Amino acid sequence: MEKVKLNNGIEMPILGYGVYQVTPEECERCVSDAISVGYRSIDTAQAYHNEEGVGNAISKCGVPREELFITTKVWISNAGYDKAKASIDESLRKLQSDYVDLLLIHQPFGDYYGTYRAMEEAYKAGKIRAIGVSNFYPDRFVDLAEFCEITPAVNQVETHVFNQQAKLQEVMKEYGTRIMSWGPFAEGRNDFFTNSTLQEIGKEYGKSVAQVALRYLIQRDIIVIPKSTHKERMAENFNVFDFTLSPEDMSAIASLDNAETLFFSHYDPEMVKWLINYGK
């Protein structure tokens, strides 16, 4: 497993397992399967309603806690210093752990400055090993990064071959902040799994479209957290460290970038309203 060093010096696996849209009922089994395959980084969130499943899996898996890297996120309904502070302790309880390795602000809405202060406090208290943000576009990212005490270690954003976040990555390099990809397979949109460029490159290496796409992001130093509920697919996604894409292949995949979201925009007022009301 390749690791990246975050801006506070701690190391994080560049490949992890994400549990977005994994039901609470399935989550414990899926995380247990992922750990048995070899994953050591698990990404969850308060809004996924499956932190308990992650906690059950990591408490039963037999792998020492210090060998695991657990990420969770504070949702909008818990925004603000007091609510965020309480929600961090609640997440720790559900995860059955004294600490989380990475805590992110899930969305840049509500009193996220208050949320970040609570996270900075928890970081200093040893409850969190690294803090960061999620879904922060360059403008909001810079605004927060310039006015906080602890620079975000990670920004988790939609990142895949059709929306490669090249501009954001350049902005974040100034702050030593890593991109963490959600949706590395674009959730199959834009005919992702039948893309001819990815298929042809995959044939060169005896790899699948998914493996090529993950490898591309990894070679750009982007953290990836592919999700699957099938153990054989988890293993396939994990098997991306035995080949290296050539500069020509990297260039061909770079040309697929449309630099546009395939999901939602934070500049859309109706979408912002929907996110703010989600889970209320």
Side-chain angles (χ1 to χ4, degrees):
M1 173 58 64
E2 296 176 14
K3 293 188 176 182
V4 296
K5 185 171 284 190
L6 302 182
N7 60 12
N8 67 347
I10 76 164
E11 291 190 332
M12 176 181 186
I14 199 165
L15 173 68
Y17 176 68
V19 298
Y20 174 59
Q21 293 181 328
V22 176
T23 65
E25 296 74 24
E26 277 191 304
C27 189
E28 181 179 339
R29 174 192 65 79
C30 288
V31 173
S32 297
D33 284 347
I35 291 172
S36 71
V37 164
Y39 291 86
R40 292 296 177 265
S41 175
I42 309 296
D43 177 274
T44 183
Q46 294 170 356
Y48 301 168
H49 305 296
N50 56 20
E51 287 175 312
E52 295 98 330
V54 173
N56 289 337
I58 65 178
S59 68
K60 296 175 184 177
C61 69
V63 175
R65 174 64 184 88
E66 61 270 16
E67 293 181 18
L68 298 170
F69 194 102
I70 308 301
T71 300
T72 193
K73 312 175 194 78
V74 178
W75 186 246
I76 302 166
S77 57
N78 290 321
Y81 175 81
D82 291 328
K83 283 185 177 181
K85 184 176 180 179
S87 80
I88 292 168
D89 288 336
E90 179 69 2
S91 287
L92 291 175
R93 184 189 67 78
K94 291 178 178 179
L95 291 166
Q96 302 178 45
S97 181
D98 295 330
Y99 67 94
V100 291
D101 298 276
L102 177 63
L103 184 67
L104 308 177
I105 297 178
H106 204 152
Q107 300 283 352
F109 305 118
D111 178 16
Y112 58 82
Y113 285 96
T115 300
Y116 205 78
R117 286 196 300 274
M119 289 164 54
E120 289 176 324
E121 184 179 283
Y123 173 83
K124 293 174 185 176
K127 294 180 180 181
I128 306 166
R129 295 180 66 221
I131 59 178
V133 295
S134 178
N135 295 302
F136 274 58
Y137 292 3
D139 52 350
R140 296 222 178 184
F141 175 82
V142 170
D143 188 35
L144 179 68
E146 289 288 343
F147 292 100
C148 62
E149 182 181 349
I150 300 169
T151 303
V154 165
N155 187 4
Q156 184 181 126
V157 292
E158 174 193 349
T159 313
H160 45 75
V161 297
F162 305 122
N163 189 15
Q164 298 185 16
Q165 299 291 2
K167 177 184 176 182
L168 178 61
Q169 191 170 28
E170 284 303 309
V171 170
M172 294 200 310
K173 278 181 181 177
E174 298 178 38
Y175 300 89
T177 305
R178 296 275 184 173
I179 283 187
M180 187 173 180
S181 157
W182 65 255
F185 305 143
E187 294 186 8
R189 299 181 188 202
N190 211 24
D191 298 323
F192 175 89
F193 289 106
T194 55
N195 180 271
S196 59
T197 299
L198 298 178
Q199 285 182 327
E200 289 168 17
I201 291 172
K203 288 176 184 175
E204 294 177 40
Y205 301 94
K207 295 292 183 178
S208 68
V209 163
Q211 288 170 319
V212 169
L214 290 174
R215 185 68 211 173
Y216 175 74
L217 295 176
I218 287 170
Q219 285 183 219
R220 287 182 54 216
D221 291 324
I222 292 171
I223 300 161
V224 292
I225 45 167
K227 164 243 169 180
S228 176
T229 57
H230 303 289
K231 192 172 182 178
E232 63 274 13
R233 191 74 67 198
M234 295 178 195
E236 177 186 308
N237 294 340
F238 194 78
N239 186 24
V240 291
F241 298 103
D242 59 350
F243 73 111
T244 301
L245 296 171
S246 69
E248 294 77 17
D249 292 331
M250 292 291 289
S251 178
I253 298 172
S255 71
L256 298 176
D257 188 16
N258 296 318
E260 293 180 352
T261 180
L262 291 181
F263 295 89
F264 56 81
S265 171
H266 284 166
Y267 300 131
D268 175 4
E270 292 307 312
M271 177 52 66
V272 174
K273 289 179 185 176
W274 185 89
L275 287 167
I276 289 170
N277 288 298
Y278 177 81
K280 278 191 175 180

